[in-house]
Amino acid sequence: MTGLVEGKAALVTGAANGIGRASALAFAREGARVAVADVDADGGEETVRLIAKQGGEAFFVPCDVADEDAVAAAVALTVQRYGALDCAHNNAGLGQRQVPLAEISRASWDRTLAVNLTGTWLCLKHEIQHMQAHGGGAIVATSSATSLLGVPLTAAYAATKAAINQLVRSAAMEYAKVGIRVNAVLPGPIGTEMVTRAMAENPALEDHLMQTVPLARVGTPEEVADAVVFLCSPRSGFTTGSLLTIDGGQVLH
Ligand SMILES: NC(=O)c1ccc[n+]([C@@H]2O[C@H](COP(=O)([O-])OP(=O)(O)OC[C@H]3O[C@@H](n4cnc5c(N)ncnc54)[C@H](O)[C@@H]3O)[C@@H](O)[C@H]2O)c1
């Protein structure tokens, strides 16, 4: 049986941990060769080892998504290694320390925007430049259910994720005609380091989540990864500009 993205070349940012690692593994399981991009070299190399262990092909590329030269180089290296860039998951992101809006430091605000928002735009920019010259492709950004909710103590983070939704819609409109589909996944609470850290900082968070997530549990990185690979596969060929919540129903609450 062939995989959903058999023979494709995929780039995943933030692929050294959490959702990005699960996505890189899922792309490889479904037949793609994967560029694992991250600032965390140890975690990135471990993702590459895990992919090799399941019989897939991957390489690690160091990349800070806030650095345009690094993003351009990651795209170029993927094309050089695999001869193409068909799929991209722009997933790298920083959580924000839980503080009221008026207490966010300028440095924290700037870094959250630089990585989450500017980083997502830089990835779109360089991936699209390649894809539009080579017959199209499919891109998924990791936004967040927070982008649709009024969640306290995460103003900078939520603002970046809401802006990502609009970037995705703009890109989907502008590049549909050249065969590039652009979608977003909006995870609710997913059991990664980011959420474990937030729960440690705010012990009331776990109770709050159990009460506000209708499915009454935290999701798994694999549940997000499966949706990402689907959105990059021909099975979702008529889907672009969509914001897919993967949140146990959290935004319904
Ligand atoms: N975990 C959740 O509940 C949840 C919910 C909604 C959205 N998200 C989003 O999912 C994405 C992944 O989050 P996660 O939970 O897997 O977090 P994580 O902290 O486990 O992984 C994030 C990865 O991004 C990498 N990274 C950070 N800054 C980077 C940069 N400048 N350049 C390249 N890589 C960088 C980290 O090294 C890490 O490997 C993020 O965009 C996050 O906002 C997570």
Side-chain angles (χ1 to χ4, degrees):
M1 211 167 78
T2 55
L4 280 177
V5 284
E6 199 67 46
K8 304 286 187 195
L11 170 66
V12 182
T13 69
N17 295 282
I19 292 169
R21 172 177 284 169
S23 165
L25 282 158
F27 270 113
R29 223 170 15 249
E30 293 294 340
R33 292 160 297 163
V34 187
V36 169
D38 207 292
V39 287
D40 172 0
D42 290 344
E45 294 292 2
E46 178 60 14
T47 302
V48 170
R49 268 192 295 278
L50 291 169
I51 288 174
K53 209 166 137 193
Q54 67 178 26
E57 191 181 335
F59 73 97
F60 172 67
V61 52
C63 176
D64 177 347
V65 294
D67 173 349
E68 181 156 12
D69 291 342
V71 171
V75 169
L77 196 59
T78 309
V79 174
Q80 189 190 321
R81 291 280 288 254
Y82 296 145
L85 176 66
D86 306 297
C87 313
H89 181 195
N90 301 331
N91 165 78
L94 290 178
Q96 170 208 315
R97 213 166 65 77
Q98 302 217 334
V99 285
L101 179 147
E103 291 167 32
I104 298 172
S105 71
R106 180 61 196 257
S108 163
W109 172 267
D110 285 348
R111 186 64 186 157
T112 306
L113 263 71
V115 174
N116 293 8
L117 180 53
T118 306
T120 299
W121 167 67
L122 288 173
C123 289
L124 282 165
K125 174 180 172 178
H126 289 277
E127 292 154 2
I128 287 171
Q129 283 180 3
H130 174 81
M131 287 175 177
Q132 72 178 337
H134 294 88
I139 302 174
V140 175
T142 303
S143 173
S144 169
T146 308
S147 67
L148 305 179
L149 296 167
V151 179
L153 308 180
T154 57
Y157 178 81
T160 63
K161 295 300 187 178
I164 286 171
N165 295 350
Q166 289 309 116
L167 273 184
V168 162
R169 290 171 157 170
S170 295
M173 286 288 282
E174 291 178 19
Y175 296 100
K177 284 194 174 62
V178 294
I180 302 174
R181 295 185 301 108
V182 188
N183 293 288
V185 286
L186 280 59
I190 305 296
T192 67
E193 174 68 25
M194 189 180 280
V195 160
T196 315
R197 208 180 312 126
M199 282 180 178
E201 274 177 26
N202 177 3
L205 183 62
E206 188 166 2
D207 272 357
H208 171 75
L209 290 175
M210 289 311 106
Q211 281 159 26
T212 54
V213 175
L215 289 180
R217 68 173 174 86
V218 164
T220 67
E222 291 72 23
E223 286 172 317
V224 181
D226 284 344
V228 171
V229 174
F230 167 74
L231 287 171
C232 281
S233 80
R235 295 264 188 94
S236 64
F238 199 48
T239 303
T240 197
S242 76
L243 309 177
L244 177 61
T245 52
I246 305 169
D247 66 342
Q250 188 183 29
V251 302
L252 302 173
H253 203 270

